[in-house]
Amino acid sequence: MSETTAIGGPSRFRSSGRWLTSGLQHAYIWLWMALFVLPFLTTVYRSLEDPKGGYSFEGYRFAFGSFQDALILSLQTTIVTIVLNILISIPAAYAIVRYPIPGKRTILAALNVSLYTPGAVMGLSLSLLFAYRLSSIQGSFWALVAAYVVGTFPLMLIPVIVALRDLPTVFGEAARTLGAGRWRTLLRVEIPLLGPGITAGILLTFVIVFNEFLVTLFIAGKGNQTAALTIYNILARAGFAPSTAALASIMQFTSFVVVLLFFKVFGSRYLKGTYLG
Amino acid sequence: MAEVVVDTPVPPRSTVGDESRDWRKALTGVGLLAPAIVIAIIFSIIPLIYLINVSLTRESTFFFNNPQYTFDNYRLIWNRYLPHVWTTIRLATLASLFCLIFGYPFAYILVRKVQYRDLVRILMTFPLFGPLYLTYGIRFVFGVNGPLAPLFDFIGVDSRTLLFAYPEQMTIFGMAVFTFPFMVMNVVAALTNVDPTLEEAARTLGSRPWQVFTRVLFPLSWPGVLAGFLICFGWNLGVFIVPMLLGNIEQQRVLSLALYQKAMSQFDYGLGSAMGVVLMLLAFTVTWLSLRFSRGALAT
Amino acid sequence: MARVTLQDVTKRYGDTVAVDRVSAEIADGEFVTLLGPSGCGKTTTLRMIAGLVELTSGHIRFDDQLMDNVPTHKRNIGLAFQSHALFPHMSVAKNIAFGLTNRRAPRAEVQAKVEEMLDMIEMTGMGDRMPSQLSGGQQQRVALARMLATDPRVLLFDEPLSALDRNLRDTLKYSILELQRRTKKTAIYVTHDQSEAFAISDRIMVMNQGRVEQAGTQLDIYLRPETEFVANFVGDNNTLQGTVRAIEPGTDGIREVVVDCSGMTVRAIAPADLAAGDAVSVFVRPEHIEVLPDGSREGQDGVLRGKIVQLVFEGPTLRMTIDADGVPLHVSVSGTERLALLDQANASVWVELRNPSVVKNPPAV
């Protein structure tokens, strides 16, 4: 009806008030989004500053040159951790969702202990373990991988459990009535349907392990400095430099690309009940 | 769908076959779980047992042939390092409160008003890449010639001394930005489950906006708020890099930093481990509380 | 194609019995429906035939082959699920081909079979679609094609239509019947919907609390319920209490039972286990109670006088409650005479109870 024309004045006033509220609400969201991104953008900006004045890619050249090993090590540990997490978590998730195991809650809680242990505590306790009992792998690549796996496989386990629980048993039953044996059912039907849950776990593992520095600080050997740890070490010793800014930018940019790819392919629904969602 | 099982009296018969099948299934299940359990025991449970063990020995005598067992480390924490414990709890509390106060309206607007939710989610992952880069970047943002310098100069805050003039505020801010997404996600989850028609109903019944909030919205989203707060709190208890880069000596007393210095720089493993045990107990208490209040989110 | 034999099939979960000593023989090519309320054990029985649930005791045979220890994927059955259960990550063609590739059929043969199946369900050329792009009816038809593609010995249906809307349900149930008639395969169909069961079955088995209450043709179950449960579950029935006066040899050599009930005499076909003096329940369907024009037949068998206490006009039918000396009778009238009764509320009328059935009361506990 023609309410607006009948009481034009007050209604226009009211609607402009509503506009103001709505504008402020969006401004608040954008303010926070700026706060999320600003540290990254400023870091990128600083990474382009040349110590001798002006702007250059000197920092990046330096980062890719002298930090190359660290970057490669970060990628290697991340990928190996992801593979091991998959191999450990999928059978474990099946056991927890589909098998009658006594004391399931306790077991799940025990598996998640590492998830709730503060990084420094985990780092110190692992360094004690490696010094006291497992000196053969102390400071090695595998010591890092072991720490990452134990710290992150629950992040893979949880989304897979969620996905497996959401997966109706009817698909597996349908496959069996159509003559598919246990392995075929698993490989052709169930794992593809769990795919997004597994991918969510991969994303979480990637984001965490690729950027981990604290546990690494306690257990990394001399020759095994990951990229994130390198950034920390230079910061602790030499303060802020364009080359570390460049390395930090590279790390965040890589992580962000992985996140974007995930959202593009799978959307955000499979991150529910996890760390990111 | 599964049939409802009907209870009818039948003469008892042996069910040995069923039981042995169940046992076999349970065994297979345990087999599938074995790798996860073994990894968790070797690299998570046993190390924590060592940590407790070492915390009961003097300095680094644990690694000698005859370790000297003592409660001195805990006595020392009680007598001298209690301020460290309080600083840890205080910073975590304030940062989590900050998250709550600013995160709740953020989550509400996000759920009810915003169409570009995926954009927000994607940008919100930046803090999750870890507090190292975040704090590093915040140093630049609030540092000399930072992007916000003109703004601060305009409102009369000296941008050149900003970073060092407010170490506690800066530390709390840094911690809060890192844990902000955890708070928002929990409140978003809670608010998504609150039917918007309830708000409308409250309004048609004459509630003012703040009454809608205090009487309808907040009580209904309370479990998510609590879970979010406790998760933030848990993360903030373990804070390490933020006070190191943004705080001064007072904030740098937090347990994670202190235990690193004691154990890794001064090789006083006993005291460092005891600090670790205290921190672990704090973290596990918080986890236990959050699992109790958000029953079903992760567990079951 | 196979004959399916169930012999004392039992499923127990802990102390509760889901299926209790069910025995049945389903002939080759027969279409049998398991009908019952939810929780009666019909789905569990079907799932035991499919091998998805293990038997606690008893035996299942296809022809003479014992199936107890044959895993599902080696039984060569087709099962239609309540939800169509199409694999969401596979195209229509891949779904239909799934069973064939499990049997390592040659590629050309698989392709030909998929085309044939698509033609059969009138979805030619839609093999590349994903299940999510199909309508509910198309999805269920693809599910049927998928289960038929492997030429299974037995077709099993677990309420395949219950998730669909009414119109679709009506068309699809005849498609299912038609497919079964054409392929001449043994079919076992589970439903709680009696109109579905009546429309498509050769034979119906009514289940309750894990047991088969009655097995028979539609007419047997409708006109001659053998238990109180069947009388009340299948359609509506008025229940009257009575006592057997005599068993008499009736016409055509069928024994008749004469029952005293509510001050009148009722005659019905006698179940085998009755003797004079037994307490029985007499069931009369609302649609089998006729309102008589006048009282001229008062005193004859099955004729009662009563007062119309409630009239509900539902369009095609008129529902009435008639108080016959304190016994409330539900009557439903569908003929044109219902229009004349519309203004007869509180009138006195005579009614005749036709086609009554009699069930012996269980001993009082």
Side-chain angles (χ1 to χ4, degrees):
Chain A
M1 288 282 276
S2 54
E3 197 186 33
T4 23
T5 44
I7 41 167
S11 149
R12 208 183 306 143
F13 170 75
R14 213 185 301 152
S15 85
S16 78
R18 212 167 279 161
W19 266 99
L20 187 66
T21 323
S22 160
L24 280 175
Q25 287 174 334
H26 286 281
Y28 184 70
I29 300 284
W30 286 94
L31 172 74
W32 273 99
M33 291 208 285
L35 277 175
F36 298 146
V37 186
L38 210 51
F40 169 67
L41 293 180
T42 318
T43 307
V44 172
Y45 175 74
R46 283 295 146 115
S47 72
L48 295 169
E49 276 182 341
D50 197 303
K52 293 182 230 81
Y55 299 95
S56 73
F57 284 104
E58 198 52 45
Y60 286 88
R61 212 166 297 143
F62 191 74
F64 278 121
S66 66
F67 298 147
Q68 201 182 13
D69 290 348
L71 268 173
I72 290 174
L73 180 68
S74 282
L75 279 175
Q76 282 174 334
T77 48
T78 307
I79 290 165
V80 173
T81 305
I82 287 171
V83 171
L84 288 175
N85 278 359
I86 293 173
L87 293 179
I88 292 170
S89 304
I90 292 179
Y94 261 90
I96 284 170
V97 177
R98 295 274 172 89
Y99 286 83
I101 296 166
K104 224 180 249 188
R105 283 178 146 262
T106 318
I107 292 175
L108 198 55
L111 294 182
N112 283 335
V113 160
S114 59
L115 201 56
Y116 307 126
T117 312
V121 176
M122 204 173 136
L124 178 58
S125 59
L126 277 169
S127 79
L128 297 174
L129 172 82
F130 290 132
Y132 190 65
R133 276 275 177 253
L134 292 173
S135 49
S136 54
I137 62 166
Q138 187 180 17
S140 73
F141 178 83
W142 291 106
L144 291 184
V145 168
Y148 297 154
V149 167
V150 79
T152 58
F153 86 83
L155 296 177
M156 180 84 84
L157 184 64
I158 292 163
V160 178
I161 287 179
V162 170
L164 195 55
R165 237 177 234 150
D166 287 352
L167 178 72
T169 49
V170 76
F171 293 119
E173 291 175 351
R176 281 156 66 202
T177 62
L178 291 164
R182 180 184 296 221
W183 280 104
R184 232 179 125 69
T185 305
L186 191 69
L187 294 178
R188 290 274 323 265
V189 176
E190 295 199 321
I191 296 219
L193 291 174
L194 289 179
I198 297 169
T199 326
I202 293 176
L203 176 74
L204 294 172
T205 308
F206 185 92
V207 166
I208 306 288
V209 174
F210 191 61
N211 299 308
E212 212 302 317
F213 78 97
L214 185 50
V215 178
T216 318
L217 173 64
F218 282 84
I219 60 168
K222 267 269 174 297
N224 278 323
Q225 310 265 311
T226 61
L229 181 60
T230 307
I231 295 174
Y232 170 83
N233 277 337
I234 298 179
L235 264 179
R237 245 176 279 128
F240 296 79
S243 58
T244 45
L247 191 53
S249 304
I250 295 168
M251 299 294 285
Q252 291 183 82
F253 184 75
T254 313
S255 308
F256 189 58
V257 168
V258 172
V259 170
L260 274 187
L261 277 177
F262 183 90
F263 273 79
K264 184 110 187 101
V265 178
F266 297 104
S268 56
R269 72 208 144 109
Y270 285 101
L271 295 171
K272 287 223 171 69
T274 66
Y275 191 76
L276 286 177
Chain B
M1 286 280 97
E3 294 279 318
V4 180
V5 177
V6 178
D7 190 10
T8 39
V10 202
R13 249 193 282 174
S14 140
T15 52
V16 173
D18 272 9
E19 261 169 28
S20 79
R21 258 199 298 274
D22 284 353
W23 267 109
R24 222 178 313 141
K25 258 201 124 183
L27 268 179
T28 318
V30 171
L32 292 172
L33 261 177
I37 293 176
V38 168
I39 293 269
I41 288 177
I42 296 181
F43 293 107
S44 162
I45 310 288
I46 290 180
L48 289 178
I49 293 170
Y50 278 135
L51 187 80
I52 295 168
N53 207 335
V54 174
S55 77
L56 296 170
T57 61
R58 195 181 308 280
E59 295 179 352
S60 52
T61 60
F62 178 76
F63 296 103
F64 303 161
N65 280 336
N66 48 344
Q68 304 167 20
Y69 281 92
T70 170
F71 278 108
D72 278 358
N73 297 317
Y74 290 100
R75 231 168 267 138
L76 203 57
I77 289 179
W78 182 254
N79 292 330
R80 201 184 307 159
Y81 293 103
L82 220 45
H84 290 61
V85 180
W86 288 128
T87 303
T88 310
I89 295 176
R90 177 188 154 82
L91 289 178
T93 310
L94 290 174
S96 309
L97 275 177
F98 185 100
C99 279
L100 174 60
I101 292 164
F102 289 94
Y104 195 102
F106 186 93
Y108 179 79
I109 299 170
L110 195 61
V111 171
R112 293 281 193 262
K113 306 284 163 80
V114 169
Q115 311 292 320
Y116 43 89
R117 230 167 286 163
D118 267 352
L119 174 72
V120 180
R121 277 172 187 278
I122 286 170
L123 292 186
M124 208 151 54
T125 52
F126 268 103
L128 298 177
F129 298 154
L132 177 62
Y133 315 134
L134 185 73
T135 320
Y136 188 78
I138 288 177
R139 274 288 288 247
F140 287 138
V141 172
F142 292 100
V144 184
N145 290 328
L148 299 183
L151 185 72
F152 285 115
D153 289 335
F154 179 76
I155 59 171
V157 178
D158 187 350
S159 66
R160 281 164 303 171
T161 59
L162 181 68
L163 209 48
F164 310 101
Y166 307 101
E168 180 166 41
Q169 286 87 336
M170 290 305 293
T171 304
I172 290 169
F173 176 75
M175 293 163 72
V177 175
F178 169 54
T179 50
F180 196 79
F182 299 108
M183 176 59 86
V184 169
M185 283 314 171
N186 276 281
V187 180
V188 162
L191 285 177
T192 318
N193 292 332
V194 178
D195 189 343
T197 54
L198 292 179
E199 286 171 63
E200 286 162 11
R203 246 177 286 146
T204 60
L205 293 168
S207 296
R208 292 165 185 288
W210 63 269
Q211 285 174 317
V212 174
F213 173 75
T214 55
R215 292 196 181 164
V216 179
L217 220 45
F218 195 74
L220 286 174
S221 55
W222 168 242
V225 169
L226 195 65
F229 182 85
L230 289 171
I231 287 168
C232 288
F233 192 79
W235 276 100
N236 284 325
L237 277 176
V239 71
F240 183 92
I241 192 75
V242 186
M244 189 175 146
L245 293 184
L246 295 176
N248 66 14
I249 214 117
E250 218 165 294
Q251 288 77 47
Q252 286 164 2
R253 288 191 300 209
V254 292
L255 286 171
S256 287
L257 267 173
L259 79 86
Y260 177 73
Q261 276 153 7
K262 286 294 164 210
M264 306 310 273
S265 304
Q266 300 165 18
F267 301 108
D268 188 344
Y269 284 104
L271 182 56
S273 299
M275 287 174 167
V277 171
V278 172
L279 184 53
M280 184 177 85
L281 288 179
L282 286 175
F284 283 0
T285 310
V286 171
T287 305
W288 180 73
L289 286 176
S290 72
L291 286 184
R292 269 202 62 145
F293 286 119
S294 68
R295 199 166 280 270
L298 290 181
T300 52
Chain C
M1 275 138 280
R3 185 178 77 246
V4 177
T5 315
L6 310 186
Q7 181 190 336
D8 286 329
V9 167
T10 300
K11 180 64 194 178
R12 232 174 305 142
Y13 295 101
D15 290 338
T16 57
V17 179
V19 176
D20 187 10
R21 284 163 289 166
V22 167
S23 293
E25 178 143 341
I26 296 152
D28 192 359
E30 195 180 13
F31 198 123
V32 169
T33 300
L34 304 182
L35 174 68
S38 69
C40 72
K42 59 189 191 297
T43 294
T44 310
T45 306
L46 190 82
R47 290 168 64 84
M48 286 193 282
I49 298 171
L52 294 170
V53 171
E54 289 179 77
L55 281 74
T56 306
S57 64
H59 302 288
I60 292 174
R61 288 189 179 81
F62 290 0
D63 290 330
D64 293 322
Q65 186 193 355
L66 193 62
M67 302 306 281
D68 299 355
N69 292 316
V70 178
T72 300
H73 64 277
K74 292 187 179 149
R75 289 193 183 198
N76 194 11
I77 47 164
L79 174 54
F81 292 86
Q82 193 167 33
S83 62
H84 51 77
L86 292 178
F87 303 126
H89 60 299
M90 294 182 194
S91 66
V92 167
K94 287 252 172 62
N95 263 287
I96 296 175
F98 186 82
L100 296 165
T101 50
N102 284 337
R103 287 165 176 72
R104 304 219 167 77
R107 183 175 294 232
E109 189 183 305
V110 172
Q111 212 155 9
K113 190 76 188 177
V114 169
E115 296 297 329
E116 183 198 327
M117 285 293 148
L118 284 172
D119 289 347
M120 184 191 76
I121 57 171
E122 289 160 11
M123 285 176 64
T124 313
M126 292 170 83
D128 291 334
R129 302 258 181 111
M130 295 306 278
S132 57
Q133 296 169 305
L134 303 178
S135 70
Q138 288 173 326
Q139 288 170 336
Q140 203 53 267
R141 268 150 59 203
V142 174
L144 290 176
R146 183 177 71 173
M147 79 187 252
L148 286 168
T150 54
D151 198 22
R153 304 168 78 180
V154 181
L155 303 179
L156 304 172
F157 299 88
D158 184 9
E159 309 211 25
L161 307 180
S162 61
L164 303 173
D165 65 48
R166 199 201 177 105
N167 287 335
L168 212 51
R169 217 155 50 202
D170 284 343
T171 35
L172 266 171
K173 77 183 170 200
Y174 294 112
S175 313
I176 288 175
L177 183 61
E178 210 248 347
L179 284 175
Q180 189 266 345
R181 290 281 182 263
R182 198 186 328 157
T183 55
K184 299 192 180 68
K185 288 182 189 298
T186 313
I188 303 171
Y189 190 105
V190 159
T191 183
H192 64 270
D193 180 336
Q194 49 166 302
S195 70
E196 220 169 276
F198 272 62
I200 59 181
S201 317
D202 293 327
R203 200 152 56 98
I204 296 172
M205 293 168 71
V206 183
M207 289 188 71
N208 180 38
Q209 302 207 336
R211 291 185 203 156
V212 176
E213 296 263 343
Q214 185 173 353
T217 63
Q218 285 86 328
L219 214 56
D220 286 337
I221 285 173
Y222 184 71
L223 286 182
R224 287 176 291 281
E226 287 169 6
T227 67
E228 190 183 347
F229 173 81
V230 175
N232 287 319
F233 182 74
V234 180
D236 297 326
N237 252 322
N238 290 292
T239 310
L240 305 168
Q241 294 304 321
T243 313
V244 175
R245 189 199 302 158
I247 311 279
E248 293 174 355
T251 49
D252 308 336
I254 299 166
R255 295 194 318 156
E256 256 185 357
V257 58
V258 185
V259 180
D260 291 322
C261 141
S262 304
M264 62 168 170
T265 304
V266 174
R267 281 171 186 276
I269 294 170
D273 57 344
L274 280 188
D278 280 347
V280 291
S281 297
V282 177
F283 301 104
V284 187
R285 299 204 175 270
E287 59 270 30
H288 290 166
I289 298 180
E290 193 172 339
V291 179
L292 299 174
D294 51 51
S296 60
R297 291 176 57 199
E298 191 166 351
Q300 290 185 13
D301 288 348
V303 175
L304 267 178
R305 185 178 185 160
K307 188 174 140 199
I308 299 177
V309 291
Q310 197 183 27
L311 267 176
V312 180
F313 182 56
E314 292 181 344
T317 51
L318 173 71
R319 292 189 185 281
M320 292 183 287
T321 309
I322 292 176
D323 179 6
D325 253 355
V327 179
L329 285 177
H330 298 283
V331 179
S332 139
V333 186
S334 306
T336 44
E337 69 269 25
R338 73 188 189 281
L339 299 176
L341 289 164
L342 275 179
D343 57 355
Q344 296 290 308
N346 293 318
S348 266
V349 287
W350 287 266
V351 291
E352 181 179 3
L353 315 185
R354 295 188 176 164
N355 298 321
S357 54
V358 171
V359 172
K360 186 176 171 180
N361 285 348
V365 181

